[in-house]
């Protein structure tokens, strides 16, 4: 009796699972959304395909497999993108599956001019409802699925073509024109920017550079052409006296490579083996999406810089996160010799002396930076603990709603702000934005230690609306650890710095305002 009821049910229900819908998780990958429009977006007369429907449950069971998505008329194109990146699926022995008939799909230029009413009529003859790409006879058991036919085409497409089915946004490259002031889309050179560049050149060409005036002009960003020498001056690596600069550069570079000869061979000694091993593990993780930093030559440079610094600073040694702090200096000093995009530049194409100079300058400027925040990396990292606590107190005064929301969701500031302090927001911002941010940090007297606290507070409040919309611990913490800044440019960083300066002006010299 139960069997009769099941048969009667499948006879009465015209909507058979798997008859028209792409079946995810079955024996074939999903349909490509660019080649097969969602049913609700196309005219009903031309989009409905009449397929031979099974009349009993047993026939249905023989004709499909694992068909659970009955009502899902459309899915994100992400599923098909993930499938297309894998190796092509081989035809396998499966029951014959009813499927949409494939027609020749016009290329992208034809799609824009061809209307839907000019599509080829679809045959309603059940005997012709078969795939055009069958790998066996009609009554055989080896059948190639519809989406299988498109899989090889998808794998040949580059990532930009794969994303055409997703919403289109203006893409700002991760590193292209990384040192350019106009990374956010401004014209190449405005009158104001040219005037600022001339002012920088005038300051730098004087016999004794006025560092206070240089800091004043650097606060709102340093032009690309003069950024390398300006960073060397503001970090304290170069003297203000112009005549002494070449001699100082030569001496410091020779001193660094003297350290290499003296210490680098000891990386395999028992005392330093663990330090070098940790550095060797962390270097490939540094900016993994940027080809420049995946070159073996560049990774060797980073290993030498970090190992020598760790040997010369035994109080802290190497700590994870310090590897990130080399990258802005390295890219800025490299841009002095590279006109095209830095992202894909081949380091080996530079002369050996130039490579050595970039390495030595990156080491000394990073050392100057870390001298001011070394308590961030000593045992138990007390500097970070203090800064995170100060951030909590500051946010409680700036925006009590956000602070109370963290308490309700049981989110501790240390769970997300530790990385902000340890990596100086480098994991939260694109590298081009970090370089712009460091222009201002170099211009501030205690930019990497004191001013950074107010930048973190402004950065947190920037996402106030999104934070308050997350009502549970997991989603809130995931938001804070993956903030959507990939499309940020100089404009967003400028607004962030302006808000940080306002907070510093209000709270830095007002202890009674800082605490309740």
């Amino acid at each position: 009796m139960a069997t009769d009821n099941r048969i009667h049910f499948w006879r009465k229900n015209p909507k058979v699972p798997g008859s028209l819908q792409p079946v995810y998780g079955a024996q074939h990958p999903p349909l490509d959304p660019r080649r097969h429009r969602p049913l609700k977006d196309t005219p009903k007369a031309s989009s409905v395909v009449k397929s031979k429907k099974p009349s009993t449950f047993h026939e249905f069971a023989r004709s499909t497999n694992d068909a659970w998505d009955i009502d899902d008329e459309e899915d994100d194109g992400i599923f098909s993108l993930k499938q297309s990146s894998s190796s092509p699926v081989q035809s396998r022995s499966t029951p014959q599956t009813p499927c949409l008939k494939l027609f020749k799909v016009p290329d992208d230029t034809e799609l824009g001019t061809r209307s839907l009413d000019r599509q080829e009529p679809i045959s309603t003859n059940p005997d012709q409802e078969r795939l055009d790409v069958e790998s066996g006879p009609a009554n055989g058991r080896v059948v190639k699925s519809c989406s299988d036919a498109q899989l090889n085409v998808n794998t040949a497409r580059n990532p930009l073509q794969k994303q055409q089915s997703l919403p289109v946004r203006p893409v700002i490259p991760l590193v292209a024109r990384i040192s350019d002031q106009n990374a956010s889309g401004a014209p190449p050179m405005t009158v104001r920017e040219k005037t600022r560049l001339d002012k920088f050149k005038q300051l730098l060409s004087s016999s004794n550079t006025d560092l206070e005036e240089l800091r004043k002009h650097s606060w709102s960003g340093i032009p690309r052409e003069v950024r390398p020498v300006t960073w060397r001056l503001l970090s304290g690596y170069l003297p203000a006296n112009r005549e002494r600069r070449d001699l100082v550069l030569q001496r410091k570079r020779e001193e660094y490579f003297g350290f290499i000869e003296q210490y680098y061979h000891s990386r395999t000694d028992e005392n330093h083996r663990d330090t070098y091993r940790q550095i060797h593990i962390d270097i490939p993780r540094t900016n993994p999406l940027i080809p420049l930093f995946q070159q073996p030559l560049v990774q060797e440079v980073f290993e030498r810089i970090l190992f020598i610094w760790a040997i010369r600073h035994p109080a802290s040694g190497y700590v994870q996160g310090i590897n990130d702090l080399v990258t802005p200096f390295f890219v800025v000093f490299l841009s002095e010799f590279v006109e095209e995009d830095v992202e894909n530049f081949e380091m080996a194409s530079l002369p050996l002396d130039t490579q050595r100079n970039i390495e030595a300058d990156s080491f000394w400027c990073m050392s100057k930076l870390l001298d001011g925040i070394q308590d961030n990396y000593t045992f138990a990292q007390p500097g970070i603990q203090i800064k995170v606590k100060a951030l909590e107190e500051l946010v409680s005064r700036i925006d009590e709603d956000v602070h109370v929301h963290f308490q309700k969701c049981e989110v501790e500031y240390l769970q997300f702000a530790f990385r902000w302090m340890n990596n100086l927001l480098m994991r939260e911002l694109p590298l081009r934005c970090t370089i712009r941010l460091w222009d201002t940090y170099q211009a501030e007297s205690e930019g990497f230690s004191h001013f950074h606290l107010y930048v973190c507070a402004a950065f947190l409040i920037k996402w106030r609306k999104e934070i308050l919309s997350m009502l549970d611990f997991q989603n809130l913490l995931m938001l804070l650890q993956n903030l959507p800044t990939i499309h940020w440019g100089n404009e967003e960083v400028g607004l962030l710095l302006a808000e940080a300066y306002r907070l510093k002006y209000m709270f830095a010299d007002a202890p009674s305002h800082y605490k309740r």
Side-chain angles (χ1 to χ4, degrees), residues 194-392:
K194 188 177 185 304
T195 303
R196 293 187 72 247
L197 178 59
D198 292 341
K199 181 63 177 177
F200 271 93
K201 289 181 177 179
Q202 180 183 351
L203 284 169
L204 296 171
S205 62
S206 61
S207 57
N208 281 285
T209 302
D210 187 345
L211 294 182
E212 287 303 317
E213 190 72 12
L214 186 63
R215 288 191 179 94
K216 176 182 176 182
H217 286 82
S218 300
W219 205 98
S220 56
I222 304 172
R224 165 181 183 163
E225 294 82 355
V226 295
R227 181 178 277 127
V229 64
T230 303
W231 275 28
R232 293 187 186 104
L233 284 166
L234 295 181
S235 64
Y237 175 43
L238 279 186
N241 186 288
R242 187 180 180 186
E243 294 180 356
R244 295 179 52 223
R245 290 176 192 169
D246 290 339
L247 292 175
V248 169
L249 279 177
Q250 182 181 353
R251 177 174 59 83
K252 298 296 283 184
R253 289 166 178 172
E254 291 176 355
E255 185 179 356
Y256 168 72
F257 284 101
F259 294 151
I260 296 291
E261 295 178 4
Q262 184 177 357
Y263 297 117
Y264 195 60
H265 66 85
S266 66
R267 65 189 182 278
T268 57
D269 294 351
E270 186 176 355
N271 294 338
H272 306 308
R273 189 180 304 161
D274 290 342
T275 298
Y276 178 74
R277 178 179 175 276
Q278 189 61 59
I279 292 172
H280 188 71
I281 291 173
D282 289 346
I283 291 302
R285 303 172 182 170
T286 305
N287 297 296
L289 299 179
I290 301 176
L292 172 68
F293 298 109
Q294 301 309 308
Q295 298 175 23
L297 181 60
V298 174
Q299 293 183 357
E300 290 171 7
V301 168
F302 277 48
E303 286 181 0
R304 288 193 292 268
I305 290 174
L306 294 171
F307 183 77
I308 296 302
W309 187 89
I311 292 297
R312 297 188 71 247
H313 297 80
S316 61
Y318 173 75
V319 178
Q320 285 180 304
I322 295 179
N323 55 306
D324 287 329
L325 306 184
V326 186
T327 55
F329 292 114
F330 181 82
V331 168
V332 167
F333 297 145
L334 177 62
S335 68
E336 195 172 12
F337 306 96
V338 179
E339 293 295 332
E340 65 268 20
D341 297 340
V342 181
E343 183 175 25
N344 297 298
F345 182 75
E346 190 66 35
M347 183 72 175
S349 63
L350 289 176
L352 181 59
D353 288 344
T354 301
Q355 297 178 28
R356 290 165 62 89
N357 292 343
I358 292 171
E359 179 178 345
D361 293 354
S362 299
F363 169 81
W364 286 115
C365 288
M366 186 200 72
S367 298
K368 293 289 186 180
L369 184 160
L370 289 172
D371 287 347
I373 57 172
Q374 192 170 355
D375 60 342
N376 285 6
Y377 306 105
T378 54
F379 178 74
Q381 300 181 267
I384 292 180
Q385 303 277 354
I386 293 170
K387 290 182 178 69
V388 171
K389 184 62 178 175
L391 177 65
E392 181 177 357

Side-chain angles (χ1 to χ4, degrees), residues 17-142:
S19 59
L20 290 177
Q21 301 300 320
V23 182
Y24 302 117
Q27 297 296 331
H28 55 271
L31 297 176
D32 191 333
R34 291 165 293 139
R35 299 298 180 91
H36 302 274
R37 293 176 176 270
L39 294 179
K40 69 178 185 179
D41 293 340
T42 55
K44 189 171 183 180
S46 62
S47 64
V48 177
V49 180
K50 296 181 180 179
S51 61
K52 186 177 180 179
K53 300 177 182 178
S55 59
T56 68
F57 175 78
H58 300 289
E59 290 182 15
F60 168 74
R62 288 194 301 270
S63 64
T64 190
N65 184 20
D66 202 13
W68 307 115
D69 299 327
I70 301 175
D71 295 317
D72 296 336
E73 292 193 352
E74 60 180 353
D75 274 281
D76 293 332
I78 298 173
F79 292 102
S80 61
L81 293 177
K82 288 183 178 178
Q83 289 282 354
S84 63
S85 64
S86 61
S87 59
V89 180
Q90 300 295 328
S91 300
R92 62 186 70 181
S93 178
T94 56
Q96 186 173 351
T97 307
C99 184
L100 295 174
K101 183 176 179 180
L102 289 178
F103 294 100
K104 180 180 181 299
V105 181
D107 57 21
D108 294 339
T109 57
E110 293 179 12
L111 286 174
T113 57
R114 232 176 131 181
S115 59
L116 291 175
D117 58 351
R118 294 177 58 188
Q119 293 180 354
E120 296 182 30
I122 299 176
S123 173
T124 57
N125 187 352
D127 294 334
Q128 297 179 359
E129 294 282 333
R130 292 187 189 138
L131 295 172
D132 292 344
V133 290
E134 285 186 6
S135 58
N139 58 353
R141 299 183 61 81
V142 180

Side-chain angles (χ1 to χ4, degrees), residues 8 29 144 150 159 239 264 272 300 340 359 411 433 479 499-500:
H8 184 66
K144 192 171 183 180
Q150 307 298 335
Y264 195 60
H272 306 308
E300 290 171 7
E340 65 268 20
E359 179 178 345
V411 171
C433 295
L479 169 70
E499 178 63 14

Side-chain angles (χ1 to χ4, degrees), residues 497-514:
L497 289 167
E499 178 63 14
Y501 183 81
R502 185 185 72 84
L503 295 176
K504 178 189 173 187
Y505 184 82
M506 291 176 60
F507 292 97
D509 300 318
S512 59
H513 291 176
Y514 193 74

